[in-house]
């Protein structure tokens, strides 16, 4: 009886060894022909294969958290990839980078920045709170008359904004104290100015890009008639507070700066292609004849000089001496 048990046991061991060897051979053969990998599914669609799902997902998670650019707050993903374990022939290539790009492209990037507002209107944008705080402190030191209307708000948006450095932000926001600008500045005229009433209702190709010299309310449009004028209005009137900085609409040369009849204190910039821009009724002039100024430079401040009933900028755009409607190009 013991002999029968021994024989049976020996046969069982041989069979078990044979099974183990067969299993190893099968596993080895499968491993040689196939490799374990993961099928990647996004929004129900197959987008590729990865051999290391942990590494790929970690890269995607890092992108969601930090994005791939300065100022990114986070990236919102509506769908994350799914992984399915499968066996592929060794000749099939994984495509982690392509999968990563496809996942990135279906996300929405949110940028964090800070908006500095004056009178509840967003004026400038900076990249961090420290810069915003520094701008406000500088405005306080300069005793800007609008300091009580300045506020800062944190923004999360999908569109990038153009950031200003501290000097640019202060220049954009600063308004001289009334006590410093209430008295009209007396200036001596320099240069030549064409103040003819030659106007055109058409639109000339001026060949240059312009920016707004000031922000404000349009109170009198081009071509309007008034009992205060001898002819139709040759420009555009934009009302804003006394002392508001007036910026050059385009780069050019100052060819007139001084007092000019009903224009009051006037500054004229000559640009390319026979184009000139006029800035009238100024309180003070910050540039002189012959000076080269860049686009956006402060050339004067808003005033109420000449034939004027309140603080505003009179803006003219002339080409070869003919006045054209500024609203064809601005506002």
């Amino acid at each position: 009886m013991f002999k029968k048990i021994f024989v049976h046991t020996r046969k069982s061991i041989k069979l078990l060894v044979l099974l183990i060897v067969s299993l190893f051979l099968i596993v080895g053969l499968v491993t040689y022909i196939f490799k374990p990998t993961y099928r990647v599914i996004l929004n129900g669609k197959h987008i590729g294969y990865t051999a290391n799902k942990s590494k790929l997902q970690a890269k995607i998670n890092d992108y969601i958290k930090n994005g791939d650019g300065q100022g990114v707050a986070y990236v919102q993903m509506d769908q994350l990839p799914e992984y399915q374990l499968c066996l592929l022939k060794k000749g099939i290539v994984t495509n982690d980078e392509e999968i990563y790009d496809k996942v990135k492209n279906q996300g929405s990037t949110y940028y964090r920045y800070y908006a500095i507002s004056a009178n509840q209107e967003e004026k400038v944008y900076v990249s961090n709170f420290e810069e915003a705080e520094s701008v406000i402190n500088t405005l306080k030191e300069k005793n800007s008359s609008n300091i009580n209307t300045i506020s800062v708000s944190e923004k999360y948006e999908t569109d990038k904004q153009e950031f200003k450095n501290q000097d640019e932000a202060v220049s954009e926001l600063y308004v001289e104290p009334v006590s410093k600008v209430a008295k009209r500045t007396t200036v001596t005229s320099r240069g030549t100015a064409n103040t003819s009433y030659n106007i055109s209702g058409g639109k000339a190709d001026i060949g240059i890009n312009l920016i707004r010299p000031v922000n404000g309310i349009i109170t009198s449009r081009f071509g309007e008639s008034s009992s205060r004028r001898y002819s139709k209005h040759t420009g555009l009137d934009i009302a804003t507070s006394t002392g508001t900085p007036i910026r050059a609409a385009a780069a050019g040369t100052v060819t007139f700066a001084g007092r000019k009849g009903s224009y009051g204190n006037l500054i004229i910039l000559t640009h390319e292609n026979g184009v000139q821009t006029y800035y009238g009724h100024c309180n003070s002039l910050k540039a002189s004849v012959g000076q080269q100024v860049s686009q956006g430079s402060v050339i004067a401040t808003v005033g109420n000089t000449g034939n004027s009933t309140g603080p505003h900028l009179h803006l003219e755009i002339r080409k070869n001496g003919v006045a054209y409607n500024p609203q064809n190009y601005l506002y």
Side-chain angles (χ1 to χ4, degrees), residues 271-288:
H271 313 283
E272 301 174 357
N273 309 319
V275 177
Q276 292 182 307
T277 50
Y278 288 44
Y279 310 83
H281 307 308
C282 302
N283 180 74
S284 61
L285 306 181
K286 305 295 186 182
S288 55

Side-chain angles (χ1 to χ4, degrees), residues 71-89:
V72 175
Y74 61 90
V75 178
Q76 180 175 304
M77 293 286 184
D78 293 331
Q79 293 289 333
L80 288 175
E82 300 175 4
Y83 302 93
Q84 297 176 352
L85 180 63
C86 59
L87 294 174
L88 296 180
K89 289 184 177 181

Side-chain angles (χ1 to χ4, degrees), residues 201-231:
K203 180 180 179 180
D205 181 10
I206 62 175
I208 58 175
N209 293 320
L210 305 177
I211 64 171
R212 293 183 178 187
V214 297
N215 291 317
I217 300 172
I218 296 174
T219 55
S220 182
R221 300 184 184 276
F222 178 83
E224 288 185 353
S225 299
S226 170
S227 59
R228 296 187 295 105
R229 304 188 187 97
Y230 297 109
S231 70

Side-chain angles (χ1 to χ4, degrees), residues 113 115-125 153 155 161:
Y113 56 89
I116 306 178
S117 302
N119 292 312
Q120 298 183 340
E121 179 184 357
E122 293 180 3
K123 294 288 189 179
V124 298
Y125 303 96
S153 57
K155 310 286 288 186
Q161 294 289 348

Side-chain angles (χ1 to χ4, degrees), residues 245-311:
I246 299 172
R247 302 181 183 280
T253 304
V254 180
T255 50
F256 182 88
R259 191 83 179 184
K260 192 65 177 178
S262 62
Y263 285 86
N265 294 332
L266 171 69
I267 191 164
I268 299 176
L269 299 184
T270 297
H271 313 283
E272 301 174 357
N273 309 319
V275 177
Q276 292 182 307
T277 50
Y278 288 44
Y279 310 83
H281 307 308
C282 302
N283 180 74
S284 61
L285 306 181
K286 305 295 186 182
S288 55
V289 171
Q291 183 177 340
Q292 302 284 330
V293 298
S294 57
Q295 188 178 56
S297 298
V298 176
I299 56 173
T301 59
V302 170
N304 188 26
T305 59
N307 184 12
S308 172
T309 59

